[in-house]
Amino acid sequence: MNIKKNPIVSPVFTISAAIVFSAILSTTTQAATVSGGALTLNLNRDAIIAVVETDNFPDAPTVDFPMCCRPSLYLEEFYDASAASKTFAQLREGNTPDLYDLESDEISAVGLQYAVNGSTITPNPGGRQNRATTFAFDSNDLLGTATGSIGLGGVTRWRVDVAPPSNRILLGDMTLEYDPTEEGRTSGRSGWIITNHIGFDAGAFELFDVTTLLVGDSLTINGNLGFGWGFDHLGATAARLSDARIGTFSFQTTVVPVPAAAWLFVSGVAGLFFSSRAKRVRHE
């Protein structure tokens, strides 16, 4: 049994070193990827409401605005992987009783399950950016060799306390990926990140206090959720910079071998992947 807390990882590999190293990896490592399973998010709605500053209308009824009572941000709809064929517009407009923020429209943000996508996916409908899984690693050194990302099927729709019809936000078509440049930047921070791709590419959640457990062909990752910079436009910047925890996550999947030729290619471009990560501009 191999239980790991994320180590601090050097952020940059040179391309030439990675290519040389790939020749060694192809004969001495156990190349792997993931198949099946799911990511489960358990969001603390009170923690989210407390720090989101977009709160433009009264929380009690008034003559001019008789509807109540509306948190600054709450979950209105969750579409699982079976909704992959829906367009962006269908996700935004489907099952919408009205354009106003009503507390009765809120659903639980606990137990949201995103299925792991396969290595290929059907073509995306209009406005969607669902991603295939490209994740690859040496099963003897997951964090030191991880490249690519894990595609996750599912979309959430949030209500924001602003004037309709701009009061709905989609978050989904996400990927789970490991970025060693984020490792240990502050206490508890891991290199694991969940990235939103629907509508615009943005950090959805940063993951903290992460533990990985690899037993045989079963990989489990657990930890706490923090805001990604994609929430900054809602006023959550201060909470993100203070590494506020807003929930928990769990991830379970099956580890499967990668053909030797495919691993040779992946390991050969590992330096390019990590170098580009190191140069990414952080939105802070």
Side-chain angles (χ1 to χ4, degrees), residues 93-166:
E93 306 300 335
N95 191 27
T96 54
D98 57 74
L99 288 175
Y100 294 90
D101 291 304
L102 300 179
E103 189 176 35
S104 60
D105 298 336
E106 182 177 2
I107 66 171
S108 173
V110 174
L112 307 178
Q113 191 169 93
Y114 299 79
V116 173
N117 294 335
S119 59
T120 60
I121 58 172
T122 58
N124 279 297
R128 297 295 299 276
Q129 294 292 331
N130 204 25
R131 305 294 179 94
T133 291
T134 60
F135 196 61
F137 59 96
D138 170 10
S139 57
N140 291 318
D141 184 17
L142 189 158
L143 300 179
T145 60
T147 62
S149 60
I150 299 169
L152 301 168
V155 177
T156 53
R157 186 175 73 219
W158 299 80
R159 286 281 194 113
V160 186
D161 197 18
V162 298
S166 301

Coordinates of all heavy atoms in Angstrom, one line a residue, residues 93-166:
E93 N -30.6 27.6 -19.9 CA -32.0 27.9 -19.9 C -32.9 26.8 -19.4 O -34.1 27.1 -19.1 CB -32.4 28.4 -21.3 CG -31.6 29.5 -21.9 CD -31.6 30.7 -21.0 OE1 -32.5 31.0 -20.3 OE2 -30.6 31.5 -21.1
G94 N -32.4 25.6 -19.4 CA -33.3 24.4 -19.1 C -33.8 24.4 -17.6 O -33.1 24.8 -16.7
N95 N -35.1 24.0 -17.4 CA -35.6 23.9 -16.1 C -35.5 25.2 -15.3 O -35.0 25.1 -14.1 CB -35.0 22.7 -15.4 CG -35.8 22.4 -14.1 OD1 -37.0 22.6 -14.0 ND2 -35.1 21.8 -13.1
T96 N -35.8 26.3 -15.8 CA -35.7 27.6 -15.1 C -37.1 28.1 -14.9 O -37.7 28.6 -15.7 CB -34.9 28.6 -16.0 OG1 -35.5 28.7 -17.3 CG2 -33.4 28.1 -16.1
P97 N -37.5 28.1 -13.6 CA -38.9 28.5 -13.3 C -39.1 30.0 -13.5 O -40.2 30.5 -13.7 CB -39.0 28.1 -11.8 CG -37.6 28.0 -11.3 CD -36.8 27.5 -12.4
D98 N -38.0 30.8 -13.3 CA -38.1 32.3 -13.5 C -36.7 32.8 -13.6 O -35.7 32.1 -13.5 CB -38.8 32.9 -12.3 CG -38.1 32.5 -11.0 OD1 -37.0 33.1 -10.7 OD2 -38.6 31.7 -10.2
L99 N -36.6 34.1 -13.8 CA -35.3 34.8 -13.9 C -34.8 35.4 -12.6 O -33.8 36.0 -12.6 CB -35.3 35.9 -15.0 CG -35.4 35.3 -16.5 CD1 -35.6 36.5 -17.4 CD2 -34.2 34.5 -16.8
Y100 N -35.6 35.2 -11.6 CA -35.3 35.9 -10.3 C -34.7 34.9 -9.3 O -34.9 33.7 -9.4 CB -36.5 36.6 -9.7 CG -36.9 37.7 -10.6 CD1 -37.9 37.5 -11.6 CD2 -36.4 39.0 -10.4 CE1 -38.3 38.6 -12.4 CE2 -36.8 40.0 -11.2 CZ -37.8 39.8 -12.2 OH -38.1 40.9 -13.0
D101 N -34.0 35.4 -8.4 CA -33.3 34.5 -7.4 C -34.3 34.2 -6.3 O -34.6 35.0 -5.5 CB -32.1 35.2 -6.8 CG -31.0 35.3 -7.8 OD1 -30.6 34.3 -8.3 OD2 -30.5 36.4 -8.0
L102 N -34.8 33.0 -6.2 CA -35.7 32.5 -5.2 C -35.0 31.4 -4.4 O -34.4 30.5 -4.9 CB -37.0 32.0 -5.8 CG -37.8 32.9 -6.6 CD1 -39.0 32.2 -7.2 CD2 -38.2 34.1 -5.9
E103 N -35.1 31.6 -3.1 CA -34.5 30.6 -2.2 C -35.0 29.2 -2.5 O -34.3 28.2 -2.3 CB -34.7 31.0 -0.7 CG -33.9 30.1 0.2 CD -34.1 30.6 1.7 OE1 -35.2 31.1 2.0 OE2 -33.1 30.5 2.4
S104 N -36.3 29.1 -2.9 CA -36.9 27.8 -3.2 C -36.3 27.1 -4.4 O -36.4 25.9 -4.5 CB -38.4 28.0 -3.4 OG -38.6 28.8 -4.5
D105 N -35.5 27.8 -5.2 CA -34.9 27.2 -6.4 C -33.5 26.5 -6.0 O -33.0 25.8 -6.9 CB -34.6 28.3 -7.4 CG -35.9 28.9 -8.0 OD1 -36.9 28.3 -7.9 OD2 -35.8 30.1 -8.4
E106 N -33.0 26.7 -4.8 CA -31.7 26.2 -4.5 C -31.8 24.7 -4.3 O -32.7 24.1 -3.7 CB -31.2 26.9 -3.2 CG -29.9 26.4 -2.8 CD -29.4 27.1 -1.5 OE1 -30.1 28.0 -1.0 OE2 -28.2 26.9 -1.1
I107 N -30.7 24.0 -4.8 CA -30.5 22.6 -4.5 C -29.3 22.4 -3.7 O -28.4 23.3 -3.6 CB -30.5 21.8 -5.9 CG1 -29.2 22.2 -6.7 CG2 -31.7 22.0 -6.7 CD1 -29.0 21.3 -7.9
S108 N -29.1 21.2 -3.2 CA -27.9 20.9 -2.4 C -26.7 20.8 -3.3 O -26.7 20.4 -4.4 CB -28.1 19.5 -1.7 OG -26.9 19.1 -1.1
A109 N -25.6 21.3 -2.7 CA -24.3 21.3 -3.4 C -23.4 20.2 -2.8 O -22.2 20.2 -3.0 CB -23.6 22.7 -3.2
V110 N -24.0 19.2 -2.2 CA -23.3 18.1 -1.6 C -23.5 16.9 -2.5 O -24.6 16.6 -2.9 CB -23.7 17.9 -0.2 CG1 -23.1 16.6 0.4 CG2 -23.4 19.0 0.7
G111 N -22.4 16.1 -2.7 CA -22.5 14.9 -3.4 C -22.7 15.0 -4.9 O -23.2 14.2 -5.6
L112 N -22.1 16.1 -5.5 CA -22.1 16.3 -6.9 C -21.0 15.4 -7.6 O -19.9 15.5 -7.3 CB -21.8 17.8 -7.2 CG -22.6 18.8 -6.5 CD1 -22.2 20.3 -6.9 CD2 -24.1 18.7 -6.8
Q113 N -21.5 14.5 -8.4 CA -20.6 13.5 -9.0 C -20.3 13.7 -10.4 O -21.2 13.8 -11.3 CB -21.2 12.1 -8.8 CG -20.2 11.0 -9.1 CD -20.8 9.6 -8.6 OE1 -21.4 8.9 -9.4 NE2 -20.5 9.3 -7.3
Y114 N -19.0 13.8 -10.8 CA -18.5 14.1 -12.1 C -17.8 12.8 -12.6 O -16.8 12.4 -12.0 CB -17.6 15.2 -12.2 CG -18.2 16.6 -11.7 CD1 -18.3 16.8 -10.4 CD2 -18.6 17.5 -12.6 CE1 -18.9 18.1 -10.0 CE2 -19.1 18.7 -12.3 CZ -19.3 19.0 -10.9 OH -19.8 20.2 -10.5
A115 N -18.4 12.2 -13.6 CA -17.8 10.9 -14.1 C -16.5 11.2 -14.9 O -16.4 12.2 -15.5 CB -18.8 10.2 -15.0
V116 N -15.5 10.3 -14.8 CA -14.3 10.4 -15.5 C -14.5 10.1 -17.0 O -15.1 9.1 -17.3 CB -13.2 9.4 -15.0 CG1 -12.0 9.4 -15.8 CG2 -12.8 9.8 -13.5
N117 N -14.1 11.0 -17.9 CA -14.3 10.8 -19.3 C -13.2 9.8 -19.8 O -12.2 9.6 -19.2 CB -14.1 12.1 -20.1 CG -15.2 13.1 -19.7 OD1 -16.3 12.7 -19.4 ND2 -14.9 14.4 -19.9
G118 N -13.5 9.2 -21.0 CA -12.6 8.3 -21.6 C -11.5 9.0 -22.4 O -11.5 10.3 -22.4
S119 N -10.7 8.3 -23.1 CA -9.6 8.9 -23.9 C -10.1 9.5 -25.1 O -9.4 10.3 -25.8 CB -8.6 7.8 -24.2 OG -9.2 6.7 -24.9
T120 N -11.4 9.2 -25.5 CA -12.0 9.9 -26.6 C -13.4 10.3 -26.2 O -14.0 9.6 -25.3 CB -12.1 9.0 -27.9 OG1 -12.8 7.9 -27.6 CG2 -10.7 8.7 -28.4
I121 N -14.0 11.4 -26.7 CA -15.3 11.8 -26.4 C -16.1 12.1 -27.7 O -15.4 12.3 -28.8 CB -15.4 13.0 -25.5 CG1 -14.6 14.2 -26.1 CG2 -14.8 12.7 -24.1 CD1 -14.8 15.5 -25.4
T122 N -17.4 12.1 -27.7 CA -18.2 12.5 -28.8 C -18.0 14.0 -29.1 O -17.7 14.7 -28.1 CB -19.6 12.1 -28.6 OG1 -20.1 12.8 -27.5 CG2 -19.8 10.6 -28.5
P123 N -18.2 14.4 -30.3 CA -18.0 15.9 -30.6 C -18.9 16.7 -29.7 O -20.1 16.4 -29.4 CB -18.4 16.0 -32.0 CG -18.2 14.6 -32.6 CD -18.5 13.7 -31.5
N124 N -18.4 17.8 -29.2 CA -19.1 18.7 -28.3 C -20.2 19.5 -29.0 O -20.0 19.9 -30.1 CB -18.2 19.7 -27.7 CG -17.4 19.2 -26.5 OD1 -18.0 18.8 -25.5 ND2 -16.1 19.1 -26.6
P125 N -21.4 19.6 -28.4 CA -22.4 20.4 -29.0 C -22.1 21.9 -28.8 O -21.1 22.2 -28.2 CB -23.7 20.0 -28.3 CG -23.2 19.5 -27.0 CD -21.8 18.9 -27.2
G126 N -22.9 22.8 -29.4 CA -22.6 24.2 -29.3 C -22.3 24.8 -28.0 O -23.1 24.6 -27.0
G127 N -21.1 25.4 -27.8 CA -20.8 26.1 -26.6 C -20.1 25.2 -25.6 O -19.7 25.7 -24.5
R128 N -20.1 23.9 -25.8 CA -19.5 23.0 -24.8 C -18.0 22.7 -25.0 O -17.5 22.8 -26.2 CB -20.2 21.6 -24.9 CG -21.7 21.7 -24.5 CD -21.9 22.1 -23.1 NE -21.3 21.1 -22.1 CZ -21.9 20.0 -21.7 NH1 -23.1 19.6 -22.2 NH2 -21.3 19.2 -20.9
Q129 N -17.3 22.4 -23.9 CA -15.8 22.2 -24.0 C -15.5 20.9 -23.2 O -14.5 20.9 -22.5 CB -15.1 23.4 -23.5 CG -15.2 24.6 -24.4 CD -14.6 24.5 -25.8 OE1 -13.6 23.7 -25.9 NE2 -15.1 25.1 -26.8
N130 N -16.3 19.9 -23.3 CA -16.0 18.7 -22.5 C -14.7 18.1 -23.1 O -14.4 18.1 -24.3 CB -17.1 17.7 -22.7 CG -17.2 16.6 -21.6 OD1 -16.8 16.9 -20.5 ND2 -17.8 15.5 -22.0
R131 N -13.8 17.6 -22.2 CA -12.5 17.2 -22.5 C -12.3 15.7 -22.3 O -12.8 15.1 -21.3 CB -11.4 17.9 -21.7 CG -11.5 19.5 -21.8 CD -11.2 20.0 -23.1 NE -11.3 21.4 -23.2 CZ -10.3 22.3 -23.1 NH1 -9.1 21.8 -22.8 NH2 -10.5 23.6 -23.2
A132 N -11.5 15.1 -23.2 CA -11.1 13.7 -23.0 C -10.0 13.6 -21.9 O -9.3 14.6 -21.6 CB -10.6 13.1 -24.3
T133 N -9.8 12.4 -21.4 CA -8.8 12.2 -20.4 C -7.5 11.9 -21.1 O -7.4 11.0 -22.0 CB -9.2 11.0 -19.5 OG1 -10.3 11.4 -18.7 CG2 -8.0 10.6 -18.6
T134 N -6.4 12.7 -20.8 CA -5.1 12.5 -21.4 C -4.0 12.2 -20.3 O -2.9 12.3 -20.6 CB -4.7 13.8 -22.2 OG1 -4.7 14.9 -21.2 CG2 -5.7 14.1 -23.3
F135 N -4.5 11.9 -19.1 CA -3.6 11.8 -18.0 C -2.7 10.6 -18.1 O -3.2 9.5 -18.5 CB -4.5 11.6 -16.7 CG -3.7 11.8 -15.4 CD1 -3.1 13.0 -15.1 CD2 -3.7 10.8 -14.5 CE1 -2.5 13.2 -13.9 CE2 -3.1 11.0 -13.2 CZ -2.5 12.2 -13.0
A136 N -1.4 10.7 -17.8 CA -0.5 9.6 -17.9 C 0.6 9.8 -16.8 O 0.9 10.9 -16.4 CB 0.2 9.5 -19.2
F137 N 1.1 8.7 -16.2 CA 2.1 8.8 -15.1 C 2.8 7.4 -14.9 O 2.3 6.4 -15.5 CB 1.4 9.2 -13.8 CG 0.3 8.2 -13.4 CD1 0.5 7.2 -12.5 CD2 -1.0 8.4 -13.9 CE1 -0.5 6.4 -12.1 CE2 -2.0 7.5 -13.5 CZ -1.7 6.5 -12.6
D138 N 3.9 7.5 -14.2 CA 4.5 6.3 -13.8 C 3.9 5.9 -12.4 O 3.9 6.6 -11.5 CB 6.0 6.5 -13.6 CG 6.8 5.4 -12.9 OD1 6.2 4.3 -12.8 OD2 7.9 5.6 -12.6
S139 N 3.3 4.7 -12.3 CA 2.6 4.3 -11.1 C 3.5 4.2 -9.9 O 3.1 4.1 -8.8 CB 1.9 3.0 -11.4 OG 2.8 2.0 -11.8
N140 N 4.9 4.1 -10.2 CA 5.8 4.1 -9.0 C 6.1 5.5 -8.5 O 6.7 5.7 -7.4 CB 7.2 3.5 -9.5 CG 7.0 2.0 -9.7 OD1 6.4 1.3 -8.9 ND2 7.6 1.5 -10.8
D141 N 5.7 6.6 -9.3 CA 6.0 8.0 -8.9 C 5.0 8.9 -9.5 O 5.2 9.7 -10.4 CB 7.4 8.3 -9.4 CG 7.8 9.7 -9.0 OD1 7.2 10.3 -8.0 OD2 8.8 10.3 -9.5
L142 N 3.7 8.8 -9.0 CA 2.6 9.5 -9.6 C 2.9 11.0 -9.7 O 2.8 11.6 -10.8 CB 1.3 9.2 -8.8 CG 0.0 9.7 -9.4 CD1 -1.1 8.8 -8.8 CD2 -0.3 11.1 -9.2
L143 N 3.2 11.6 -8.6 CA 3.3 13.1 -8.6 C 4.6 13.6 -9.3 O 4.6 14.7 -9.8 CB 3.3 13.6 -7.1 CG 2.1 13.2 -6.3 CD1 2.2 13.8 -4.9 CD2 0.8 13.8 -7.0
G144 N 5.6 12.7 -9.4 CA 6.8 13.2 -10.1 C 6.8 13.0 -11.6 O 7.6 13.6 -12.3
T145 N 5.7 12.3 -12.1 CA 5.7 12.1 -13.5 C 4.4 12.4 -14.2 O 4.3 12.3 -15.4 CB 6.0 10.6 -13.8 OG1 5.0 9.8 -13.1 CG2 7.4 10.2 -13.3
A146 N 3.4 12.9 -13.4 CA 2.1 13.1 -14.0 C 2.0 14.2 -15.1 O 2.6 15.2 -15.0 CB 1.1 13.6 -12.9
T147 N 1.4 13.8 -16.2 CA 1.2 14.8 -17.3 C -0.3 14.7 -17.8 O -1.0 13.7 -17.5 CB 2.1 14.5 -18.5 OG1 1.8 13.2 -19.0 CG2 3.6 14.5 -18.1
G148 N -0.7 15.7 -18.5 CA -2.0 15.6 -19.1 C -3.1 16.0 -18.0 O -2.8 16.5 -16.9
S149 N -4.3 15.6 -18.3 CA -5.4 16.0 -17.4 C -6.5 14.9 -17.5 O -6.6 14.1 -18.4 CB -6.0 17.3 -17.8 OG -6.5 17.3 -19.1
I150 N -7.4 14.9 -16.4 CA -8.5 13.9 -16.3 C -9.8 14.7 -16.7 O -10.2 15.6 -16.0 CB -8.6 13.3 -14.9 CG1 -7.2 12.6 -14.6 CG2 -9.8 12.4 -14.8 CD1 -7.1 12.2 -13.2
G151 N -10.4 14.3 -17.8 CA -11.7 14.9 -18.2 C -12.8 14.5 -17.2 O -12.9 13.3 -16.9
L152 N -13.7 15.4 -16.9 CA -14.8 15.2 -15.9 C -16.1 15.6 -16.6 O -16.2 16.7 -17.0 CB -14.5 15.9 -14.6 CG -13.2 15.6 -13.9 CD1 -13.0 16.6 -12.8 CD2 -13.3 14.2 -13.3
G153 N -17.1 14.7 -16.6 CA -18.4 15.0 -17.2 C -19.3 15.6 -16.2 O -19.6 14.9 -15.1
G154 N -19.9 16.8 -16.4 CA -20.8 17.3 -15.5 C -20.8 18.9 -15.5 O -19.7 19.4 -15.8
V155 N -21.9 19.5 -15.2 CA -22.0 21.0 -15.3 C -22.9 21.4 -14.1 O -24.0 20.8 -13.9 CB -22.5 21.5 -16.6 CG1 -22.7 23.0 -16.6 CG2 -21.6 21.1 -17.8
T156 N -22.5 22.5 -13.4 CA -23.4 23.1 -12.4 C -23.9 24.5 -13.0 O -23.2 25.1 -13.7 CB -22.6 23.4 -11.1 OG1 -21.4 24.1 -11.3 CG2 -22.3 22.1 -10.4
R157 N -25.1 24.8 -12.5 CA -25.6 26.2 -12.9 C -25.8 26.9 -11.6 O -26.6 26.4 -10.7 CB -26.9 26.1 -13.7 CG -27.3 27.5 -14.2 CD -28.5 27.4 -15.1 NE -29.7 27.1 -14.4 CZ -30.7 26.3 -14.8 NH1 -30.5 25.7 -16.0 NH2 -31.8 26.0 -14.1
W158 N -25.3 28.1 -11.4 CA -25.3 28.9 -10.2 C -26.2 30.1 -10.5 O -26.2 30.7 -11.5 CB -23.9 29.3 -9.8 CG -23.0 28.2 -9.5 CD1 -22.3 27.4 -10.3 CD2 -22.8 27.6 -8.1 NE1 -21.7 26.4 -9.6 CE2 -21.9 26.5 -8.3 CE3 -23.2 28.0 -6.9 CZ2 -21.4 25.8 -7.2 CZ3 -22.7 27.3 -5.8 CH2 -21.8 26.2 -6.0
R159 N -26.9 30.6 -9.4 CA -27.6 31.8 -9.4 C -26.7 32.9 -8.7 O -26.2 32.6 -7.6 CB -28.9 31.7 -8.7 CG -30.0 31.0 -9.5 CD -30.7 31.8 -10.6 NE -31.9 31.2 -11.1 CZ -33.1 31.7 -10.9 NH1 -33.3 32.8 -10.2 NH2 -34.1 31.0 -11.4
V160 N -26.6 34.0 -9.3 CA -25.9 35.1 -8.7 C -26.9 36.3 -8.4 O -27.8 36.5 -9.1 CB -24.8 35.6 -9.6 CG1 -23.9 36.7 -8.9 CG2 -24.0 34.5 -10.1
D161 N -26.7 37.0 -7.3 CA -27.6 38.0 -6.9 C -27.3 39.3 -7.6 O -26.9 40.4 -7.1 CB -27.5 38.3 -5.4 CG -28.7 39.0 -4.8 OD1 -29.7 39.1 -5.5 OD2 -28.6 39.6 -3.7
V162 N -27.6 39.3 -8.9 CA -27.5 40.4 -9.8 C -28.8 40.4 -10.6 O -29.6 39.5 -10.6 CB -26.3 40.4 -10.7 CG1 -25.0 40.4 -9.9 CG2 -26.3 39.2 -11.6
A163 N -29.0 41.5 -11.4 CA -30.2 41.7 -12.1 C -30.3 40.6 -13.3 O -29.3 40.4 -13.9 CB -30.3 43.1 -12.7
P164 N -31.4 40.0 -13.4 CA -31.6 39.1 -14.6 C -31.6 39.8 -15.9 O -31.9 41.0 -15.9 CB -33.0 38.4 -14.3 CG -33.7 39.4 -13.5 CD -32.6 40.1 -12.6
P165 N -31.2 39.2 -17.0 CA -31.0 37.7 -17.2 C -29.5 37.3 -17.0 O -29.2 36.2 -17.4 CB -31.5 37.5 -18.6 CG -31.1 38.8 -19.3 CD -31.3 39.9 -18.3
S166 N -28.7 38.2 -16.4 CA -27.3 37.9 -16.3 C -27.0 37.2 -14.9 O -25.9 37.3 -14.4 CB -26.5 39.2 -16.4 OG -26.7 39.8 -17.6

